Amino acid sequence: MRFLYPEFIYLMLIPAAVLIYLISTNKDVLERIFKPEALERLRISGDALGRAGHNTLLFIAFLFMSLALAQPVIEQGAERVKTKGVDLVIALDLSRSMRARDFFPNRLTFAKQKIREILPTLPAGRVGMVGFTSASFIVAPLTTDRDALVFLLDRLDPKSVTVEGTALLAAIRGGEKLLKKSEQKTILLVTDGGDDVDTASLSERLKKEKIRLIVWMVATRQGAPVAMSDRETAKGADEKIFISRANTKLRDVAQKSGGRYIEATLSQEDEKQIENFLKELADSGQQYEKVVHHRIQLFYYPLALALLVLPFGLYSVGRGSHAAVLLLFSGMFCAVPKAEAGLLDFRLIEQGAKAYREGHYKESVEVFEKLSLKSPKSEVWFDLGNSYYKSGRYKMALDAYEKVVTSDTAIEKAKLYNMANCYVRLGELEKAAELYRKVLKMGKDVDAKANLELVLKALREQKKKKKGASGKGKGKKKNQKESASKPAASKEQSDRPGSQRQNAKTRKMSEAEEKKWMQLIRKQPLKAKLYPLTPPEEVDHVNPW
């Protein structure tokens, strides 16, 4: 047996010495005046332990708690687990051009969702993340904790970036810093390509640092305007609306570095291409070795003894039957919680199931959410997903279903079917069709077959509408421009922030209003800013998008 954290025992020595000194020297005022025999006669009901006994028991409880914190274990050997993988840095473009809406709802949100989907499927190895505009910003260092990366990705806000523009060289330099000690260096560049790229400098830098570049192009070749604000779009030097398009020049850069150029798609085809390419690299990549220790934990034994002794140290113990009652109560206190927790879980399951049957879906959601925190089992996640679905929260239902891991074919089939229904509700028909096909591969299902036919029909109709709309749009462009030009000017004048306020009288803010505003300001959380990991590129002119 050994202690994993023996420092807790060493830290205990000083307070233990002080406590022993106080126990041995400290006396009650009455004990200093009267003899023990006289005090015994004067007391109405004597305490079996006395003051010294209580202090001693408290010291023993403290000792056992310190031993529990030191975490005693019995070693059963260690196992070396070897895996192969590559160190990868994901460089995400945070420039304004990523707000273009050729992908729904915009390029950046679409890219973040794609990264979120691909992270769990990446082969073994460390993954880091940087964001970039005309400078790079560290989001996460190289780590094997994929959940932490998803957490940081979800909270990455382009509004917190202090530098504007787009410089792909800055992204490469940021990736270099994180991959400095790695044997194989790979950067996944998630970008729309920028409007002006020096491909020669990029290729030279990648060759010099021996970096393999995978370009994940999140932009269409047709392009889209760049929104600078809610009412303003980006304009070029000629005052014409700037259209941001996929920069296909990066294809040559990626291929020269030994990487890949992959265009983002609405399906998961692009994700599979990246996953397969990284798996190929992993087979010939760096070997990672992890030592897994097999141990038997013993901390709960001293902890149980501490909880058993503690009540005797805190409370007075009378003679005879009182001590036996307190001892029995302490035993029950140590033994009951697990059984009681299981009983409460059963009651919660019954309560949630009853609310679901009666159509009170909000109530069933609350019950199963509580249950998922206490015992996050697949059955609970499945019931929670059903409750979310019925209450109209389809994205949350998908998250719950994804946490269901089971070897039961019937439950897996029901899970995939329900997830497909969620995607239909969210309008993501291609994903729904893919899941319905998986359900049908697992066995016959009349409902899944009927739903798949409906979804495929809807997809065909969508394609027809898009073709028809694009044909009509070409013929109407001129007329639309001429008719829209005149009223637009008048609308701009009426929407100016100061147009309706010119005649408004200014008044002094009252004390009550001032207090209200100050309270609102205090409640607002401070917005964190991302400051550059590498300084902005030194160029004569950097477009703000």
Side-chain angles (χ1 to χ4, degrees), residues 109-122 146 150 153-154 216 265-272 275 398 402 423 428 431 434:
T109 307
F110 183 80
K112 286 169 74 174
Q113 179 59 33
K114 283 283 187 180
I115 295 169
R116 198 181 296 111
E117 289 173 0
I118 201 173
L119 273 173
T121 63
L122 292 176
R146 307 293 168 85
V150 172
L153 178 67
D154 289 341
W216 200 352
T265 62
L266 295 175
S267 64
Q268 293 180 334
E269 186 60 35
D270 52 341
E271 297 172 30
K272 289 176 183 176
E275 184 185 342
L398 282 170
E402 283 173 358
Y423 280 122
E428 299 182 37
K431 289 183 178 179
E434 186 178 346

PDB file of all heavy atoms in Angstrom, residues 109-122 146 150 153-154 216 265-272 275 398 402 423 428 431 434:
ATOM      1  N   THR A 109     -20.321  30.397 -38.183  1.00  0.00           N
ATOM      2  CA  THR A 109     -21.158  29.481 -37.401  1.00  0.00           C
ATOM      3  C   THR A 109     -21.164  28.096 -38.028  1.00  0.00           C
ATOM      4  O   THR A 109     -21.104  27.074 -37.333  1.00  0.00           O
ATOM      5  CB  THR A 109     -22.595  30.027 -37.306  1.00  0.00           C
ATOM      6  OG1 THR A 109     -22.550  31.371 -36.817  1.00  0.00           O
ATOM      7  CG2 THR A 109     -23.442  29.182 -36.374  1.00  0.00           C
ATOM      8  N   PHE A 110     -21.231  28.051 -39.357  1.00  0.00           N
ATOM      9  CA  PHE A 110     -21.207  26.775 -40.078  1.00  0.00           C
ATOM     10  C   PHE A 110     -19.871  26.063 -39.852  1.00  0.00           C
ATOM     11  O   PHE A 110     -19.828  24.846 -39.611  1.00  0.00           O
ATOM     12  CB  PHE A 110     -21.428  27.041 -41.564  1.00  0.00           C
ATOM     13  CG  PHE A 110     -21.500  25.810 -42.419  1.00  0.00           C
ATOM     14  CD1 PHE A 110     -22.654  25.061 -42.495  1.00  0.00           C
ATOM     15  CD2 PHE A 110     -20.391  25.388 -43.148  1.00  0.00           C
ATOM     16  CE1 PHE A 110     -22.714  23.914 -43.288  1.00  0.00           C
ATOM     17  CE2 PHE A 110     -20.438  24.254 -43.933  1.00  0.00           C
ATOM     18  CZ  PHE A 110     -21.606  23.516 -44.007  1.00  0.00           C
ATOM     19  N   ALA A 111     -18.772  26.827 -39.891  1.00  0.00           N
ATOM     20  CA  ALA A 111     -17.433  26.242 -39.693  1.00  0.00           C
ATOM     21  C   ALA A 111     -17.283  25.698 -38.272  1.00  0.00           C
ATOM     22  O   ALA A 111     -16.730  24.613 -38.069  1.00  0.00           O
ATOM     23  CB  ALA A 111     -16.363  27.297 -39.966  1.00  0.00           C
ATOM     24  N   LYS A 112     -17.781  26.440 -37.295  1.00  0.00           N
ATOM     25  CA  LYS A 112     -17.691  25.989 -35.896  1.00  0.00           C
ATOM     26  C   LYS A 112     -18.469  24.688 -35.690  1.00  0.00           C
ATOM     27  O   LYS A 112     -18.025  23.790 -34.975  1.00  0.00           O
ATOM     28  CB  LYS A 112     -18.209  27.082 -34.961  1.00  0.00           C
ATOM     29  CG  LYS A 112     -17.239  28.247 -34.821  1.00  0.00           C
ATOM     30  CD  LYS A 112     -17.857  29.435 -34.109  1.00  0.00           C
ATOM     31  CE  LYS A 112     -17.990  29.201 -32.634  1.00  0.00           C
ATOM     32  NZ  LYS A 112     -18.450  30.422 -31.921  1.00  0.00           N
ATOM     33  N   GLN A 113     -19.629  24.589 -36.344  1.00  0.00           N
ATOM     34  CA  GLN A 113     -20.420  23.367 -36.245  1.00  0.00           C
ATOM     35  C   GLN A 113     -19.691  22.191 -36.887  1.00  0.00           C
ATOM     36  O   GLN A 113     -19.680  21.070 -36.347  1.00  0.00           O
ATOM     37  CB  GLN A 113     -21.790  23.577 -36.916  1.00  0.00           C
ATOM     38  CG  GLN A 113     -22.708  22.372 -36.908  1.00  0.00           C
ATOM     39  CD  GLN A 113     -23.023  21.872 -35.508  1.00  0.00           C
ATOM     40  OE1 GLN A 113     -23.108  22.653 -34.574  1.00  0.00           O
ATOM     41  NE2 GLN A 113     -23.212  20.571 -35.372  1.00  0.00           N
ATOM     42  N   LYS A 114     -19.033  22.449 -38.014  1.00  0.00           N
ATOM     43  CA  LYS A 114     -18.268  21.399 -38.697  1.00  0.00           C
ATOM     44  C   LYS A 114     -17.101  20.910 -37.824  1.00  0.00           C
ATOM     45  O   LYS A 114     -16.846  19.703 -37.713  1.00  0.00           O
ATOM     46  CB  LYS A 114     -17.729  21.936 -40.033  1.00  0.00           C
ATOM     47  CG  LYS A 114     -18.756  22.026 -41.141  1.00  0.00           C
ATOM     48  CD  LYS A 114     -19.029  20.656 -41.724  1.00  0.00           C
ATOM     49  CE  LYS A 114     -19.919  20.697 -42.937  1.00  0.00           C
ATOM     50  NZ  LYS A 114     -20.173  19.360 -43.488  1.00  0.00           N
ATOM     51  N   ILE A 115     -16.392  21.848 -37.186  1.00  0.00           N
ATOM     52  CA  ILE A 115     -15.272  21.485 -36.311  1.00  0.00           C
ATOM     53  C   ILE A 115     -15.781  20.684 -35.124  1.00  0.00           C
ATOM     54  O   ILE A 115     -15.172  19.690 -34.709  1.00  0.00           O
ATOM     55  CB  ILE A 115     -14.520  22.751 -35.841  1.00  0.00           C
ATOM     56  CG1 ILE A 115     -13.867  23.452 -37.028  1.00  0.00           C
ATOM     57  CG2 ILE A 115     -13.472  22.400 -34.797  1.00  0.00           C
ATOM     58  CD1 ILE A 115     -13.324  24.835 -36.724  1.00  0.00           C
ATOM     59  N   ARG A 116     -16.912  21.114 -34.578  1.00  0.00           N
ATOM     60  CA  ARG A 116     -17.515  20.414 -33.433  1.00  0.00           C
ATOM     61  C   ARG A 116     -17.843  18.966 -33.793  1.00  0.00           C
ATOM     62  O   ARG A 116     -17.691  18.063 -32.975  1.00  0.00           O
ATOM     63  CB  ARG A 116     -18.774  21.168 -33.003  1.00  0.00           C
ATOM     64  CG  ARG A 116     -19.247  20.822 -31.594  1.00  0.00           C
ATOM     65  CD  ARG A 116     -20.508  21.575 -31.225  1.00  0.00           C
ATOM     66  NE  ARG A 116     -20.297  22.999 -31.165  1.00  0.00           N
ATOM     67  CZ  ARG A 116     -20.801  23.884 -32.026  1.00  0.00           C
ATOM     68  NH1 ARG A 116     -21.550  23.472 -33.039  1.00  0.00           N
ATOM     69  NH2 ARG A 116     -20.573  25.165 -31.894  1.00  0.00           N
ATOM     70  N   GLU A 117     -18.301  18.753 -35.019  1.00  0.00           N
ATOM     71  CA  GLU A 117     -18.670  17.405 -35.456  1.00  0.00           C
ATOM     72  C   GLU A 117     -17.448  16.527 -35.710  1.00  0.00           C
ATOM     73  O   GLU A 117     -17.477  15.320 -35.460  1.00  0.00           O
ATOM     74  CB  GLU A 117     -19.518  17.486 -36.731  1.00  0.00           C
ATOM     75  CG  GLU A 117     -20.928  18.026 -36.493  1.00  0.00           C
ATOM     76  CD  GLU A 117     -21.685  18.244 -37.790  1.00  0.00           C
ATOM     77  OE1 GLU A 117     -21.117  17.971 -38.872  1.00  0.00           O
ATOM     78  OE2 GLU A 117     -22.845  18.697 -37.740  1.00  0.00           O
ATOM     79  N   ILE A 118     -16.361  17.130 -36.191  1.00  0.00           N
ATOM     80  CA  ILE A 118     -15.206  16.321 -36.592  1.00  0.00           C
ATOM     81  C   ILE A 118     -14.267  16.023 -35.418  1.00  0.00           C
ATOM     82  O   ILE A 118     -13.530  15.030 -35.452  1.00  0.00           O
ATOM     83  CB  ILE A 118     -14.421  17.014 -37.738  1.00  0.00           C
ATOM     84  CG1 ILE A 118     -13.576  15.973 -38.497  1.00  0.00           C
ATOM     85  CG2 ILE A 118     -13.551  18.145 -37.219  1.00  0.00           C
ATOM     86  CD1 ILE A 118     -12.901  16.512 -39.720  1.00  0.00           C
ATOM     87  N   LEU A 119     -14.274  16.848 -34.375  1.00  0.00           N
ATOM     88  CA  LEU A 119     -13.332  16.665 -33.256  1.00  0.00           C
ATOM     89  C   LEU A 119     -13.385  15.266 -32.627  1.00  0.00           C
ATOM     90  O   LEU A 119     -12.333  14.651 -32.412  1.00  0.00           O
ATOM     91  CB  LEU A 119     -13.576  17.732 -32.181  1.00  0.00           C
ATOM     92  CG  LEU A 119     -12.835  19.058 -32.371  1.00  0.00           C
ATOM     93  CD1 LEU A 119     -13.284  20.084 -31.346  1.00  0.00           C
ATOM     94  CD2 LEU A 119     -11.333  18.862 -32.285  1.00  0.00           C
ATOM     95  N   PRO A 120     -14.573  14.723 -32.314  1.00  0.00           N
ATOM     96  CA  PRO A 120     -14.594  13.390 -31.692  1.00  0.00           C
ATOM     97  C   PRO A 120     -14.099  12.273 -32.602  1.00  0.00           C
ATOM     98  O   PRO A 120     -13.699  11.214 -32.122  1.00  0.00           O
ATOM     99  CB  PRO A 120     -16.086  13.187 -31.345  1.00  0.00           C
ATOM    100  CG  PRO A 120     -16.696  14.538 -31.399  1.00  0.00           C
ATOM    101  CD  PRO A 120     -15.929  15.283 -32.420  1.00  0.00           C
ATOM    102  N   THR A 121     -14.122  12.476 -33.920  1.00  0.00           N
ATOM    103  CA  THR A 121     -13.755  11.416 -34.868  1.00  0.00           C
ATOM    104  C   THR A 121     -12.284  11.466 -35.274  1.00  0.00           C
ATOM    105  O   THR A 121     -11.825  10.578 -35.995  1.00  0.00           O
ATOM    106  CB  THR A 121     -14.615  11.517 -36.134  1.00  0.00           C
ATOM    107  OG1 THR A 121     -14.350  12.759 -36.802  1.00  0.00           O
ATOM    108  CG2 THR A 121     -16.101  11.451 -35.790  1.00  0.00           C
ATOM    109  N   LEU A 122     -11.548  12.498 -34.829  1.00  0.00           N
ATOM    110  CA  LEU A 122     -10.138  12.606 -35.215  1.00  0.00           C
ATOM    111  C   LEU A 122      -9.328  11.470 -34.600  1.00  0.00           C
ATOM    112  O   LEU A 122      -9.604  11.045 -33.481  1.00  0.00           O
ATOM    113  CB  LEU A 122      -9.575  13.951 -34.757  1.00  0.00           C
ATOM    114  CG  LEU A 122     -10.114  15.207 -35.448  1.00  0.00           C
ATOM    115  CD1 LEU A 122      -9.521  16.448 -34.821  1.00  0.00           C
ATOM    116  CD2 LEU A 122      -9.819  15.180 -36.943  1.00  0.00           C
ATOM    117  N   ARG A 146     -10.658  16.554 -25.896  1.00  0.00           N
ATOM    118  CA  ARG A 146     -11.515  17.071 -26.971  1.00  0.00           C
ATOM    119  C   ARG A 146     -12.715  17.840 -26.414  1.00  0.00           C
ATOM    120  O   ARG A 146     -13.202  18.788 -27.042  1.00  0.00           O
ATOM    121  CB  ARG A 146     -12.004  15.912 -27.846  1.00  0.00           C
ATOM    122  CG  ARG A 146     -10.882  15.014 -28.388  1.00  0.00           C
ATOM    123  CD  ARG A 146      -9.994  15.741 -29.385  1.00  0.00           C
ATOM    124  NE  ARG A 146      -8.783  15.031 -29.692  1.00  0.00           N
ATOM    125  CZ  ARG A 146      -8.671  14.076 -30.609  1.00  0.00           C
ATOM    126  NH1 ARG A 146      -9.727  13.694 -31.301  1.00  0.00           N
ATOM    127  NH2 ARG A 146      -7.508  13.500 -30.829  1.00  0.00           N
ATOM    128  N   VAL A 150     -14.087  21.642 -27.476  1.00  0.00           N
ATOM    129  CA  VAL A 150     -15.473  21.979 -27.853  1.00  0.00           C
ATOM    130  C   VAL A 150     -15.997  23.108 -26.976  1.00  0.00           C
ATOM    131  O   VAL A 150     -16.650  24.044 -27.465  1.00  0.00           O
ATOM    132  CB  VAL A 150     -16.386  20.734 -27.732  1.00  0.00           C
ATOM    133  CG1 VAL A 150     -17.846  21.111 -27.930  1.00  0.00           C
ATOM    134  CG2 VAL A 150     -15.979  19.680 -28.749  1.00  0.00           C
ATOM    135  N   LEU A 153     -14.360  26.297 -28.123  1.00  0.00           N
ATOM    136  CA  LEU A 153     -14.859  26.654 -29.458  1.00  0.00           C
ATOM    137  C   LEU A 153     -16.233  27.304 -29.369  1.00  0.00           C
ATOM    138  O   LEU A 153     -16.502  28.306 -30.044  1.00  0.00           O
ATOM    139  CB  LEU A 153     -14.920  25.397 -30.332  1.00  0.00           C
ATOM    140  CG  LEU A 153     -15.473  25.568 -31.746  1.00  0.00           C
ATOM    141  CD1 LEU A 153     -14.538  26.417 -32.593  1.00  0.00           C
ATOM    142  CD2 LEU A 153     -15.689  24.222 -32.413  1.00  0.00           C
ATOM    143  N   ASP A 154     -17.113  26.747 -28.539  1.00  0.00           N
ATOM    144  CA  ASP A 154     -18.466  27.294 -28.394  1.00  0.00           C
ATOM    145  C   ASP A 154     -18.449  28.724 -27.865  1.00  0.00           C
ATOM    146  O   ASP A 154     -19.351  29.511 -28.149  1.00  0.00           O
ATOM    147  CB  ASP A 154     -19.299  26.410 -27.459  1.00  0.00           C
ATOM    148  CG  ASP A 154     -19.660  25.074 -28.090  1.00  0.00           C
ATOM    149  OD1 ASP A 154     -19.596  24.980 -29.328  1.00  0.00           O
ATOM    150  OD2 ASP A 154     -19.986  24.127 -27.350  1.00  0.00           O
ATOM    151  N   TRP A 216      -9.513  23.762 -45.457  1.00  0.00           N
ATOM    152  CA  TRP A 216     -10.958  23.465 -45.424  1.00  0.00           C
ATOM    153  C   TRP A 216     -11.668  24.741 -45.844  1.00  0.00           C
ATOM    154  O   TRP A 216     -11.833  25.664 -45.053  1.00  0.00           O
ATOM    155  CB  TRP A 216     -11.363  23.050 -44.016  1.00  0.00           C
ATOM    156  CG  TRP A 216     -12.654  22.283 -43.960  1.00  0.00           C
ATOM    157  CD1 TRP A 216     -13.529  22.069 -44.974  1.00  0.00           C
ATOM    158  CD2 TRP A 216     -13.204  21.614 -42.824  1.00  0.00           C
ATOM    159  NE1 TRP A 216     -14.590  21.312 -44.547  1.00  0.00           N
ATOM    160  CE2 TRP A 216     -14.406  21.025 -43.222  1.00  0.00           C
ATOM    161  CE3 TRP A 216     -12.793  21.474 -41.492  1.00  0.00           C
ATOM    162  CZ2 TRP A 216     -15.212  20.296 -42.345  1.00  0.00           C
ATOM    163  CZ3 TRP A 216     -13.585  20.752 -40.633  1.00  0.00           C
ATOM    164  CH2 TRP A 216     -14.778  20.161 -41.052  1.00  0.00           C
ATOM    165  N   THR A 265     -19.064  21.158 -47.510  1.00  0.00           N
ATOM    166  CA  THR A 265     -20.333  20.749 -48.111  1.00  0.00           C
ATOM    167  C   THR A 265     -21.407  20.683 -47.031  1.00  0.00           C
ATOM    168  O   THR A 265     -21.105  20.635 -45.830  1.00  0.00           O
ATOM    169  CB  THR A 265     -20.206  19.368 -48.772  1.00  0.00           C
ATOM    170  OG1 THR A 265     -19.875  18.400 -47.765  1.00  0.00           O
ATOM    171  CG2 THR A 265     -19.140  19.368 -49.855  1.00  0.00           C
ATOM    172  N   LEU A 266     -22.661  20.659 -47.452  1.00  0.00           N
ATOM    173  CA  LEU A 266     -23.765  20.550 -46.498  1.00  0.00           C
ATOM    174  C   LEU A 266     -23.849  19.139 -45.918  1.00  0.00           C
ATOM    175  O   LEU A 266     -24.381  18.952 -44.827  1.00  0.00           O
ATOM    176  CB  LEU A 266     -25.091  20.913 -47.174  1.00  0.00           C
ATOM    177  CG  LEU A 266     -25.215  22.374 -47.636  1.00  0.00           C
ATOM    178  CD1 LEU A 266     -26.511  22.566 -48.402  1.00  0.00           C
ATOM    179  CD2 LEU A 266     -25.142  23.336 -46.465  1.00  0.00           C
ATOM    180  N   SER A 267     -23.323  18.166 -46.657  1.00  0.00           N
ATOM    181  CA  SER A 267     -23.294  16.793 -46.152  1.00  0.00           C
ATOM    182  C   SER A 267     -22.032  16.596 -45.304  1.00  0.00           C
ATOM    183  O   SER A 267     -21.293  17.550 -45.041  1.00  0.00           O
ATOM    184  CB  SER A 267     -23.316  15.801 -47.303  1.00  0.00           C
ATOM    185  OG  SER A 267     -22.137  15.937 -48.079  1.00  0.00           O
ATOM    186  N   GLN A 268     -21.755  15.378 -44.915  1.00  0.00           N
ATOM    187  CA  GLN A 268     -20.569  15.076 -44.116  1.00  0.00           C
ATOM    188  C   GLN A 268     -19.429  14.520 -44.970  1.00  0.00           C
ATOM    189  O   GLN A 268     -18.461  13.972 -44.441  1.00  0.00           O
ATOM    190  CB  GLN A 268     -20.930  14.069 -43.021  1.00  0.00           C
ATOM    191  CG  GLN A 268     -21.887  14.635 -41.979  1.00  0.00           C
ATOM    192  CD  GLN A 268     -22.243  13.637 -40.905  1.00  0.00           C
ATOM    193  OE1 GLN A 268     -22.197  12.432 -41.125  1.00  0.00           O
ATOM    194  NE2 GLN A 268     -22.590  14.131 -39.732  1.00  0.00           N
ATOM    195  N   GLU A 269     -19.519  14.698 -46.282  1.00  0.00           N
ATOM    196  CA  GLU A 269     -18.507  14.176 -47.196  1.00  0.00           C
ATOM    197  C   GLU A 269     -17.152  14.828 -46.943  1.00  0.00           C
ATOM    198  O   GLU A 269     -16.109  14.161 -46.955  1.00  0.00           O
ATOM    199  CB  GLU A 269     -18.948  14.411 -48.641  1.00  0.00           C
ATOM    200  CG  GLU A 269     -18.030  13.789 -49.683  1.00  0.00           C
ATOM    201  CD  GLU A 269     -17.925  12.268 -49.544  1.00  0.00           C
ATOM    202  OE1 GLU A 269     -18.940  11.637 -49.173  1.00  0.00           O
ATOM    203  OE2 GLU A 269     -16.830  11.736 -49.801  1.00  0.00           O
ATOM    204  N   ASP A 270     -17.147  16.157 -46.710  1.00  0.00           N
ATOM    205  CA  ASP A 270     -15.885  16.859 -46.455  1.00  0.00           C
ATOM    206  C   ASP A 270     -15.248  16.395 -45.148  1.00  0.00           C
ATOM    207  O   ASP A 270     -14.031  16.237 -45.055  1.00  0.00           O
ATOM    208  CB  ASP A 270     -16.117  18.376 -46.438  1.00  0.00           C
ATOM    209  CG  ASP A 270     -17.242  18.778 -45.497  1.00  0.00           C
ATOM    210  OD1 ASP A 270     -18.062  17.916 -45.137  1.00  0.00           O
ATOM    211  OD2 ASP A 270     -17.310  19.963 -45.116  1.00  0.00           O
ATOM    212  N   GLU A 271     -16.076  16.144 -44.136  1.00  0.00           N
ATOM    213  CA  GLU A 271     -15.569  15.677 -42.843  1.00  0.00           C
ATOM    214  C   GLU A 271     -14.908  14.302 -42.986  1.00  0.00           C
ATOM    215  O   GLU A 271     -13.848  14.041 -42.399  1.00  0.00           O
ATOM    216  CB  GLU A 271     -16.703  15.599 -41.821  1.00  0.00           C
ATOM    217  CG  GLU A 271     -17.329  16.957 -41.517  1.00  0.00           C
ATOM    218  CD  GLU A 271     -18.574  16.834 -40.658  1.00  0.00           C
ATOM    219  OE1 GLU A 271     -18.648  15.889 -39.849  1.00  0.00           O
ATOM    220  OE2 GLU A 271     -19.484  17.674 -40.803  1.00  0.00           O
ATOM    221  N   LYS A 272     -15.525  13.437 -43.787  1.00  0.00           N
ATOM    222  CA  LYS A 272     -14.971  12.091 -44.003  1.00  0.00           C
ATOM    223  C   LYS A 272     -13.632  12.159 -44.735  1.00  0.00           C
ATOM    224  O   LYS A 272     -12.715  11.376 -44.428  1.00  0.00           O
ATOM    225  CB  LYS A 272     -15.970  11.248 -44.794  1.00  0.00           C
ATOM    226  CG  LYS A 272     -17.201  10.850 -43.988  1.00  0.00           C
ATOM    227  CD  LYS A 272     -18.193  10.096 -44.846  1.00  0.00           C
ATOM    228  CE  LYS A 272     -19.451   9.756 -44.044  1.00  0.00           C
ATOM    229  NZ  LYS A 272     -20.484   9.101 -44.880  1.00  0.00           N
ATOM    230  N   GLU A 275     -11.061  13.252 -42.171  1.00  0.00           N
ATOM    231  CA  GLU A 275     -10.868  12.155 -41.211  1.00  0.00           C
ATOM    232  C   GLU A 275     -10.008  11.045 -41.816  1.00  0.00           C
ATOM    233  O   GLU A 275      -9.062  10.558 -41.178  1.00  0.00           O
ATOM    234  CB  GLU A 275     -12.232  11.612 -40.793  1.00  0.00           C
ATOM    235  CG  GLU A 275     -12.169  10.541 -39.730  1.00  0.00           C
ATOM    236  CD  GLU A 275     -13.537   9.948 -39.419  1.00  0.00           C
ATOM    237  OE1 GLU A 275     -14.556  10.584 -39.765  1.00  0.00           O
ATOM    238  OE2 GLU A 275     -13.577   8.847 -38.847  1.00  0.00           O
ATOM    239  N   LEU A 398     -31.275  16.347 -29.776  1.00  0.00           N
ATOM    240  CA  LEU A 398     -30.158  15.715 -30.490  1.00  0.00           C
ATOM    241  C   LEU A 398     -28.957  15.512 -29.567  1.00  0.00           C
ATOM    242  O   LEU A 398     -28.317  14.461 -29.581  1.00  0.00           O
ATOM    243  CB  LEU A 398     -29.755  16.573 -31.692  1.00  0.00           C
ATOM    244  CG  LEU A 398     -30.651  16.487 -32.927  1.00  0.00           C
ATOM    245  CD1 LEU A 398     -30.280  17.562 -33.925  1.00  0.00           C
ATOM    246  CD2 LEU A 398     -30.562  15.109 -33.567  1.00  0.00           C
ATOM    247  N   GLU A 402     -27.382  11.837 -28.609  1.00  0.00           N
ATOM    248  CA  GLU A 402     -25.989  11.513 -28.934  1.00  0.00           C
ATOM    249  C   GLU A 402     -25.238  10.906 -27.747  1.00  0.00           C
ATOM    250  O   GLU A 402     -24.220  10.228 -27.918  1.00  0.00           O
ATOM    251  CB  GLU A 402     -25.266  12.774 -29.417  1.00  0.00           C
ATOM    252  CG  GLU A 402     -25.630  13.142 -30.855  1.00  0.00           C
ATOM    253  CD  GLU A 402     -25.050  14.470 -31.283  1.00  0.00           C
ATOM    254  OE1 GLU A 402     -24.397  15.119 -30.439  1.00  0.00           O
ATOM    255  OE2 GLU A 402     -25.255  14.868 -32.440  1.00  0.00           O
ATOM    256  N   TYR A 423     -33.855  16.147 -37.030  1.00  0.00           N
ATOM    257  CA  TYR A 423     -33.259  16.858 -38.169  1.00  0.00           C
ATOM    258  C   TYR A 423     -34.329  17.329 -39.161  1.00  0.00           C
ATOM    259  O   TYR A 423     -34.191  18.397 -39.773  1.00  0.00           O
ATOM    260  CB  TYR A 423     -32.239  15.961 -38.873  1.00  0.00           C
ATOM    261  CG  TYR A 423     -30.898  15.915 -38.184  1.00  0.00           C
ATOM    262  CD1 TYR A 423     -30.358  14.709 -37.744  1.00  0.00           C
ATOM    263  CD2 TYR A 423     -30.174  17.077 -37.964  1.00  0.00           C
ATOM    264  CE1 TYR A 423     -29.123  14.659 -37.091  1.00  0.00           C
ATOM    265  CE2 TYR A 423     -28.938  17.038 -37.319  1.00  0.00           C
ATOM    266  CZ  TYR A 423     -28.423  15.838 -36.890  1.00  0.00           C
ATOM    267  OH  TYR A 423     -27.218  15.810 -36.260  1.00  0.00           O
ATOM    268  N   GLU A 428     -32.929  20.142 -41.628  1.00  0.00           N
ATOM    269  CA  GLU A 428     -31.692  19.545 -42.157  1.00  0.00           C
ATOM    270  C   GLU A 428     -32.041  18.180 -42.761  1.00  0.00           C
ATOM    271  O   GLU A 428     -31.787  17.125 -42.169  1.00  0.00           O
ATOM    272  CB  GLU A 428     -30.652  19.433 -41.050  1.00  0.00           C
ATOM    273  CG  GLU A 428     -30.269  20.781 -40.461  1.00  0.00           C
ATOM    274  CD  GLU A 428     -29.204  20.671 -39.389  1.00  0.00           C
ATOM    275  OE1 GLU A 428     -28.301  19.814 -39.537  1.00  0.00           O
ATOM    276  OE2 GLU A 428     -29.266  21.432 -38.408  1.00  0.00           O
ATOM    277  N   LYS A 431     -29.259  15.265 -43.542  1.00  0.00           N
ATOM    278  CA  LYS A 431     -28.849  14.487 -42.368  1.00  0.00           C
ATOM    279  C   LYS A 431     -29.959  13.525 -41.941  1.00  0.00           C
ATOM    280  O   LYS A 431     -29.691  12.396 -41.529  1.00  0.00           O
ATOM    281  CB  LYS A 431     -28.507  15.431 -41.213  1.00  0.00           C
ATOM    282  CG  LYS A 431     -27.222  16.204 -41.418  1.00  0.00           C
ATOM    283  CD  LYS A 431     -26.903  17.060 -40.213  1.00  0.00           C
ATOM    284  CE  LYS A 431     -25.586  17.805 -40.417  1.00  0.00           C
ATOM    285  NZ  LYS A 431     -25.255  18.668 -39.257  1.00  0.00           N
ATOM    286  N   GLU A 434     -29.962  10.509 -44.232  1.00  0.00           N
ATOM    287  CA  GLU A 434     -28.845   9.614 -43.931  1.00  0.00           C
ATOM    288  C   GLU A 434     -29.161   8.711 -42.733  1.00  0.00           C
ATOM    289  O   GLU A 434     -28.885   7.513 -42.739  1.00  0.00           O
ATOM    290  CB  GLU A 434     -27.597  10.453 -43.631  1.00  0.00           C
ATOM    291  CG  GLU A 434     -26.335   9.616 -43.458  1.00  0.00           C
ATOM    292  CD  GLU A 434     -25.108  10.457 -43.208  1.00  0.00           C
ATOM    293  OE1 GLU A 434     -25.178  11.689 -43.422  1.00  0.00           O
ATOM    294  OE2 GLU A 434     -24.087   9.889 -42.794  1.00  0.00           O
TER     295      GLU A 434
END
